[in-house]
Amino acid sequence: MSRYNPSVIEAKWRKYWEEHKTFAAPRLPSDMPNNPEGKKAYVLDMFPYPSAQGLHVGHPEGYTATDIFCRFMRMNGYAVMHPMGWDAFGLPAEQHAKKTGIHPRITTEKNIANFRRQLHALGFSYDWDREVATTDVDYFRWTQRIFLILFNAWYDKDQKKARHIDELPIPDDVRAEGDDAVRRYLDDHRLAYQIEAPVNWCPELGTVLANEEVVGGVSERGGFPVVRMPLRQWMLRITAYADRLEEDLADLDWSDSVKALQRNWIGRSVGAEVDFYIGPQEKFEDWKTARANATFPRKSGDNALRVFTTRPDTLYGASYMVMAPEHPYVERLTTAEQKNVVEEYRRQASFKSDLDRTDLAKEKTGVFTGSYAMNPVNGAKIPIWIADYVLASYGSGAIMAVPAHDTRDFEFATLFNLPIKQVVAPTKESNASSEEVALMKTAFTEKGVAVNSGEFDGMATEDFKALITERLEKAGLGRKTVNYKLRDWLFSRQHFWGEPFPLLRELDEEGKPNGVVIPLEPSELPLDLPQGVAFDATKHSPEPPLENAPEEWLYVERNGKKYKRETNTMPQWAGSCWYYLRYLDPKNQDNFVDPEIEKAWSPVDLYVGGAEHAVLHLLYARFWHKVLYDFGLVSRPEPFQRLVNQGMILGEMEFTGFQSEDGAWISAADVDVDKQGKAVRKSDGAPVNSVKLAQKDVGKSGENYTLAEEPTIIVLGKSEKMSKSRGNVINPDDVVAQYGADSLRLYEMFMGPLEAVKPWNQDGVNGVRNFLDRVWRMIISQEFESDALNDAVQDVEPNEEQNRILHKTIKAVTEDIRNLSYNTAIARMMEFANFFSRESIRPKSTMKTFVLLLSPFAPHIAEELWSMLGANQTLAYEPWPKWSEDAIKESTITIPVQINGKLRARVEVPADADAQTIEDAALAEKKIAELLDGKTIVKKIVAPGKMVNFVVKG
RNA sequence: GGCCGAGUGGCGGAAUGGCAGACGCUGGGGAUUUAAAAUCCCCUGUCCUUAACGGACGUGCGGGUUCGAGUCCCGCCUCGGCUACCA
């Protein structure tokens, strides 16, 4: 074997690693030989959804990055936990079942087998004995167990932690009402609770869709109509953890941008709740007196409409109020004259999807209820409207509108001719033009100084906010409140292919659920999905498919009572909320993870995955983890210490030119897109054809790409997301077949920084393959069918220069791996290979060290070269090479000499030369002397070891 | 609209405030070869200039700080991602 042949050596080494269980992680880090203090690295990839399409080049990007890190850490003596598994529940398998009748489990297992084969082919150092799939009954048994923990928990706001529901104090008045009231009270406080919530039902697809699967009122896939209808749903009380989820971000090694994303999503805002009086006008003063003698009530009561505002300082400017169309007070507050319009408006609003309602392009809408409220601070009588720009699900579902200082209210008030009253004046520091503000041309939303606010005039916004909140609180009219954008988590899906809820719903004599829900005992788990459920493509109701489960599964009798199983299933997120724990102890039959093992390996030291999971998955998993933490089931409050998002890999750069019907080129600058999304000529709207161009036909002029032949014709050059429809998808299997897995791994890491978005370039794969070929030739003899080392590889000590280059390479590669700067690490190794390929004597020890450096990146070729260099076992646990600073030091260095900051010459000086020596050398340089002749040196800057700069005059 | 990120050769990209463009791709030239593949060597930011040399300009735009700015500060522009009436 004289030529580098990846297909042979890659298969060989994969087999070796598998047979020797080279990458098996020990039960505990300290179980590993020579690791008494239990140094460990838990390195985790976001596990994939095993789609029918198979692996995509985006997957190996993150997986290679973590694999390199793992291999590096092993060689540094760490016990490494590096598992892989499958996030295998999901709608595609269920849709496939509807079309073909094939059970989702069969489809899923087939897809997993394909993914597993593809990942194996890339030589990742996973401990495959720890593989889990969220669809395994033995796995979701514990997902169900954790759900029971949530179900049996309430959140104690004082202790700021979850506690068992048995410890929830029951108020006396509730207890007095009897067992049923107590039961309802408990259910209202559980971390898992039920509500009626609208779902997106798509009759055509026969399924309920998530909000993100509905675009513009139709399904994302297929474009079928979607209707919203209320359905009983399970919710998880993630909002109880909002503050902790936000605060605990501080200690995590995550990028600021992901932290910011999570903070925005949680959306904490501090403000005040304020009650506006809506009772009979003559009783206003009585009401105020009553309120002043009591504390601010938990609920507003029938005589008041509660609002949330972050700007209580603008209370004097409230000129109307708005309720969400779904607000419970709407009916009561609608007068007889307004009844018809209000009802019609509510009906229209109910048809609109969340997306339609938030379509900002659209004008605001709303109707007057006919009623008025009284401003608690000045008794002003203001009209109450309903409008869908106010959301029922945020704050109290109603607002006080201050059009002078809120852009949305301003728009609405302008449209409906409602009064606009200025109560905040801009200061000198304000960005807004005071002229525009004075002319009421725009809302002034910044901080400023109070005006038209009675006794508070002249106060700065922040001071006024604090003061008025305090006054309102004393008067029983309001209180300081914190609100979150984060909503509770809708945790049920009307799908078959998900974890069944371990819950039973009690039935009354007529066989209807009576509202009592009891959990299964842990000993009754797992609750598997039933056999023999027909996959019906023509489902006519949004009821869950499990409603059609066989009766022996669906109905249960217990203590003489009849129960029906919960037929909703859990969302796909559920399984991914805790998989990192199961990997640690995947076969445990008594617990989801042994606490000793959990404690030893936690937390995940490095977690790598796509940015699309920066919010939901990570927030949900952190939430579950904190619940487990509150119950002492995990040892740390946060699961993922360091997080890195790999950037997306785009398709190859594509050039597009435009031609008119007669074949004449049209510059892209003269092409427009018409309403149908078709390209047309700007001047006359004539149709235009897009033509794909080869790179050689394209040139560049200034900022623009142009036709090489006709530089006046501008063409478009762009890299797009890979997609089947665009036809620019790269299949990793093909790349492996053509170049080898090591080349694919190396290329993906060489493309650029891990976190950057980068376009694919097939020639680049060829480039790294050339590098591996060169490394091979550097060490292995090129003689036909020879297995020998290259004659240049000899058992000698490296000379000084060779040694310096070796140590520089060790240092650079080591530091780059620590920073995950793999692209530059590879560049340094290329320089090494370029240098040593030209050396006629290549010390064997140097070659061996280099092979170790290369091994995390290209493990197959490295193992092969390692064995050719004389080893008889894997290099996976060889000590990582160390560098010596002394070896790197050069005796002389070249220093740039600048005059007025411009490079004019270079001088050679001893590496440790002091400032004076360097200055003298610079002044002695012929060219510098010439340039300085006749000039006055105003200043000399000498940075020893770096540079010299003379500032001159004249 | 808000938040985040990015603008450096033909392309991907490199550069603790100190020699801009490492490394790779592409393109060009040469060596080797009967020829090709493979391999090896040289050149490859723009402009001016030379026999050789040499010089000017150059990191999206405009300012600033500094002896010195791709890097720091202020103001813009463009592109990408996320988010979207959250009171």
Side-chain angles (χ1 to χ4, degrees):
Chain A
M1 184 176 33
S2 60
R3 295 266 297 263
Y4 168 47
N5 187 344
S7 61
V8 173
I9 64 174
E10 289 179 359
K12 169 181 162 188
W13 285 100
R14 274 204 303 281
K15 189 153 169 269
Y16 175 96
W17 295 327
E18 248 163 84
E19 282 173 359
H20 290 77
K21 291 209 182 288
T22 304
F23 305 115
R27 180 175 170 274
L28 298 175
S30 53
D31 291 347
M32 198 178 79
N34 306 318
N35 189 21
E37 67 272 50
K39 285 192 298 180
K40 63 95 187 177
Y42 185 177
V43 181
L44 182 66
D45 291 307
M46 287 186 188
F47 65 167
Y49 171 71
S51 70
Q53 283 79 44
L55 220 58
H56 175 272
V57 286
H59 289 112
E61 187 191 12
Y63 301 161
T64 305
T66 50
D67 194 59
I68 291 166
F69 195 73
C70 286
R71 290 173 180 272
F72 172 74
M73 293 304 270
R74 279 191 204 98
M75 295 171 82
N76 277 285
Y78 285 75
V80 171
M81 176 64 66
H82 190 41
M84 179 45 81
W86 319 104
D87 188 14
F89 279 122
L91 208 46
E94 189 163 338
Q95 295 290 358
H96 186 70
K98 281 184 187 167
K99 264 188 240 151
T100 62
I102 299 170
H103 196 285
R105 182 168 295 283
I106 295 171
T107 315
T108 301
E109 272 164 15
K110 194 177 122 220
N111 291 346
I112 287 176
N114 187 42
F115 260 70
R116 192 189 289 121
R117 174 190 64 76
Q118 291 187 298
L119 289 184
H120 268 285
L122 292 170
F124 297 131
S125 62
Y126 295 123
D127 179 354
W128 282 104
D129 290 342
R130 295 174 180 273
E131 177 182 346
V132 298
T134 54
T135 47
D136 290 344
V137 178
D138 185 54
Y139 180 88
F140 71 65
R141 165 188 184 179
W142 299 105
T143 309
Q144 291 170 330
R145 180 76 190 84
I146 295 170
F147 175 81
L148 289 181
I149 292 169
L150 287 146
F151 180 79
N152 285 317
W154 65 289
Y155 196 78
D156 184 334
K157 283 186 181 134
D158 299 326
Q159 294 190 16
K160 294 193 174 172
K161 60 179 276 203
R163 294 169 62 189
H164 197 276
I165 195 75
D166 292 347
E167 297 171 14
L168 176 66
I170 312 288
D172 292 342
D173 55 333
V174 173
R175 199 178 292 283
E177 284 177 53
D179 288 350
D180 218 36
V182 171
R183 201 252 315 147
R184 266 188 317 228
Y185 187 84
L186 292 174
D187 286 350
D188 275 353
H189 286 81
R190 294 178 189 275
L191 291 187
Y193 63 97
Q194 299 181 80
I195 58 158
E196 289 278 327
V199 296
N200 306 300
W201 163 241
C202 179
E204 209 75 29
L205 292 171
T207 191
V208 171
L209 300 171
N211 278 331
E212 56 269 27
E213 292 170 321
V214 183
V215 177
V218 298
S219 65
E220 190 185 22
R221 281 179 311 116
F224 303 117
V226 171
V227 283
R228 284 163 70 77
M229 32 198 322
L231 212 62
R232 187 181 55 85
Q233 303 275 4
W234 283 96
M235 303 291 287
L236 294 186
R237 207 179 297 280
I238 189 173
T239 50
Y241 283 82
D243 276 338
R244 282 168 64 187
L245 288 169
E246 179 171 334
E247 283 160 14
D248 291 354
L249 286 171
D251 297 326
L252 299 178
D253 303 321
W254 294 16
S255 70
D256 289 340
S257 61
V258 173
K259 287 185 183 182
L261 277 175
Q262 294 226 342
R263 281 202 191 95
N264 285 346
W265 194 263
I266 294 166
R268 184 177 201 268
S269 55
V270 180
E273 284 178 316
V274 184
D275 282 351
F276 280 61
Y277 181 70
I278 52 174
Q281 198 171 339
E282 63 280 6
K283 297 253 175 82
F284 180 49
E285 289 305 321
D286 296 349
W287 176 77
K288 273 180 48 174
T289 313
R291 278 298 183 88
N293 293 327
T295 52
F296 187 68
R298 211 161 55 87
K299 287 184 176 162
S300 67
D302 286 351
N303 280 336
L305 180 58
R306 181 162 294 177
V307 302
F308 171 72
T309 176
T310 53
R311 293 293 300 271
D313 62 296
T314 61
L315 254 169
Y316 284 84
S319 53
Y320 64 101
M321 297 182 80
V322 186
M323 295 185 287
E326 301 86 358
H327 196 284
Y329 286 12
V330 172
E331 251 168 83
R332 276 202 304 117
L333 288 173
T334 303
T335 58
E337 306 86 76
Q338 295 299 102
K339 193 163 188 277
N340 285 343
V341 285
V342 167
E343 274 181 4
E344 175 56 19
Y345 187 79
R346 292 183 85 182
R347 209 174 59 82
Q348 293 287 343
S350 72
F351 289 143
K352 292 186 189 172
S353 72
D354 289 350
L355 220 114
D356 293 333
R357 283 180 61 159
T358 59
D359 186 358
L360 285 175
K362 177 198 67 157
E363 274 205 332
K364 291 205 164 29
T365 59
V367 291
F368 179 40
T369 61
S371 294
Y372 294 83
M374 302 189 65
N375 191 329
V377 292
N378 58 6
K381 193 175 157 191
I382 57 176
I384 306 173
W385 288 60
I386 65 170
D388 65 4
Y389 83 92
V390 173
L391 308 174
S393 50
Y394 184 76
S396 59
I399 61 157
M400 65 169 199
V402 186
H405 306 289
D406 181 285
T407 36
R408 297 151 303 182
D409 298 344
F410 183 85
E411 240 178 82
F412 192 81
T414 312
L415 190 64
F416 291 102
N417 272 319
L418 291 156
I420 300 172
K421 181 182 166 196
Q422 189 189 355
V423 290
V424 186
T427 59
K428 286 196 197 81
E429 291 85 49
S430 304
N431 295 316
S433 108
S434 44
E435 223 171 291
E436 282 197 354
V437 173
L439 290 169
M440 297 288 175
K441 280 195 172 157
T442 176
F444 175 69
T445 57
E446 298 166 51
K447 288 170 193 171
V449 175
V451 293
N452 299 324
S453 299
E455 54 178 308
F456 302 103
D457 281 358
M459 282 191 82
T461 297
E462 284 306 310
D463 300 338
F464 187 7
K465 265 193 204 181
L467 183 62
I468 189 94
T469 306
E470 204 187 308
R471 293 275 179 92
L472 287 167
E473 217 153 323
K474 273 190 192 138
L477 297 171
R479 74 167 163 209
K480 185 176 171 183
T481 309
V482 178
N483 252 309
Y484 303 92
K485 276 203 249 181
L486 181 71
R487 307 294 153 84
D488 276 342
W489 176 10
L490 178 70
F491 193 67
S492 46
R493 298 290 184 271
Q494 293 68 47
H495 298 156
F496 170 82
W497 195 225
E499 299 89 344
F501 281 84
L503 297 174
L504 297 172
R505 303 171 67 207
E506 193 176 304
L507 302 176
D508 61 18
E509 277 132 31
E510 290 164 29
K512 293 211 166 114
N514 64 3
V516 176
V517 174
I518 62 165
L520 296 183
E521 290 301 317
S523 60
E524 294 174 287
L525 301 180
L527 170 62
D528 198 357
L529 287 161
Q531 296 296 315
V533 179
F535 296 101
D536 187 359
T538 56
K539 212 159 70 99
H540 294 298
S541 102
E543 287 296 317
L546 289 180
E547 287 291 327
N548 301 320
E551 299 220 335
E552 58 271 28
W553 186 87
L554 206 50
Y555 296 99
V556 180
E557 209 170 291
R558 187 162 298 185
N559 299 329
K561 286 182 184 162
K562 279 200 81 175
Y563 293 90
K564 183 181 179 185
R565 289 196 195 278
E566 172 60 64
T567 53
N568 282 299
T569 51
M570 299 187 202
Q572 197 179 352
W573 304 109
S576 58
C577 271
W578 72 283
Y579 72 113
Y580 57 94
L581 294 170
R582 188 62 178 171
Y583 281 141
L584 298 176
D585 198 8
K587 308 258 160 37
N588 194 327
Q589 289 302 303
D590 305 317
N591 204 341
F592 63 90
V593 60
D594 182 324
E596 184 190 15
I597 296 176
E598 189 277 332
K599 191 157 190 257
W601 283 104
S602 290
V604 171
D605 297 285
L606 175 64
Y607 193 24
V608 175
E612 65 273 22
H613 297 299
V615 178
L616 293 183
H617 160 61
L618 288 168
L619 211 55
Y620 292 154
R622 293 177 61 219
F623 162 48
W624 276 37
H625 194 90
K626 285 182 185 303
V627 175
L628 296 175
Y629 177 73
D630 287 349
F631 285 102
L633 299 170
V634 294
S635 58
R636 289 157 198 278
E638 285 286 336
F640 312 120
Q641 188 56 39
R642 181 181 180 195
L643 172 79
V644 174
N645 290 126
Q646 86 259 18
M648 201 183 353
I649 296 180
L650 304 176
E652 292 220 33
M653 177 89 144
E654 284 172 25
F655 296 99
T656 311
F658 299 96
Q659 281 179 325
S660 62
E661 303 266 86
D662 59 10
W665 290 104
I666 303 176
S667 177
D670 300 328
V671 174
D672 236 343
V673 178
D674 73 1
K675 282 176 199 136
Q676 282 85 47
K678 282 184 186 147
V680 293
R681 184 156 54 201
K682 255 185 200 169
S683 53
D684 56 3
V688 164
N689 296 322
S690 307
V691 185
K692 275 207 176 141
L693 300 167
Q695 204 190 326
K696 64 173 170 49
D697 298 326
V698 176
K700 202 170 187 188
S701 129
E703 293 280 276
N704 300 309
Y705 293 105
T706 61
L707 283 183
E709 308 274 290
E710 288 175 74
T712 54
I713 303 292
I714 296 171
V715 303
L716 297 181
K718 236 187 153 185
S719 289
E720 303 273 5
K721 227 177 190 172
M722 286 192 193
S723 72
K724 236 200 264 175
S725 59
R726 210 179 288 280
N728 60 353
V729 176
I730 305 285
N731 182 346
D733 284 344
D734 299 341
V735 182
V736 171
Q738 197 181 344
Y739 299 96
D742 283 336
S743 289
L744 174 62
R745 293 170 56 115
L746 211 51
Y747 173 63
E748 293 211 5
M749 296 301 100
F750 188 60
M751 290 172 86
L754 183 58
E755 302 191 61
V757 176
K758 324 160 262 267
W760 187 267
N761 174 2
Q762 198 75 11
D763 289 329
V765 189
N766 209 30
V768 295
R769 170 61 194 264
N770 281 341
F771 163 63
L772 291 179
D773 279 325
R774 177 180 274 242
V775 167
W776 184 264
R777 288 192 305 269
M778 176 173 79
I779 296 172
I780 303 298
S781 163
Q782 290 308 285
E783 277 169 49
F784 186 62
E785 289 298 312
S786 156
D787 262 355
L789 295 178
N790 192 308
D791 290 342
V793 177
Q794 293 172 22
D795 250 324
V796 294
E797 289 298 308
N799 64 32
E800 196 186 323
E801 188 186 15
Q802 290 175 334
N803 201 44
R804 181 162 56 244
I805 294 207
L806 173 68
H807 282 259
K808 274 171 114 162
T809 307
I810 298 171
K811 179 178 180 178
V813 171
T814 306
E815 289 175 350
D816 283 347
I817 292 178
R818 284 207 188 105
N819 298 324
L820 309 185
S821 303
Y822 298 142
N823 53 332
T824 48
I826 294 166
R828 296 290 89 81
M829 291 190 285
M830 286 174 168
E831 286 175 313
F832 178 99
N834 289 345
F835 174 84
F836 275 94
S837 295
R838 282 189 277 258
E839 293 289 286
S840 52
I841 293 171
R842 305 164 197 161
K844 196 169 171 183
S845 62
T846 306
M847 294 299 108
K848 286 177 81 169
T849 304
F850 173 76
V851 166
L852 293 178
L853 295 181
L854 178 66
S855 70
F857 300 84
H860 309 89
I861 188 176
E863 290 273 24
E864 183 67 17
L865 293 172
W866 185 245
S867 80
M868 301 284 267
L869 284 162
N872 52 21
Q873 61 172 2
T874 176
L875 50 61
Y877 295 92
E878 288 297 317
W880 186 255
K882 295 198 170 19
W883 75 89
S884 135
E885 289 290 345
D886 285 345
I888 292 172
K889 267 192 202 137
E890 312 212 22
S891 53
T892 63
I893 51 172
T894 308
I895 283 194
V897 183
Q898 300 176 349
I899 293 175
N900 287 343
K902 285 193 178 163
L903 177 72
R904 291 303 175 193
R906 296 183 176 88
V907 290
E908 189 115 329
V909 296
D912 54 358
D914 62 13
Q916 193 58 52
T917 316
I918 293 170
E919 188 188 322
D920 293 346
L923 289 169
E925 165 67 28
K926 189 170 151 242
K927 204 177 147 200
I928 296 297
E930 277 169 20
L931 286 163
L932 290 180
D933 188 37
K935 306 243 165 59
T936 320
I937 298 178
V938 184
K939 196 168 179 181
K940 304 169 194 163
I941 294 107
V942 185
K946 283 190 184 154
M947 48 73 67
V948 186
N949 188 13
F950 297 110
V951 184
V952 301
K953 233 178 18 188

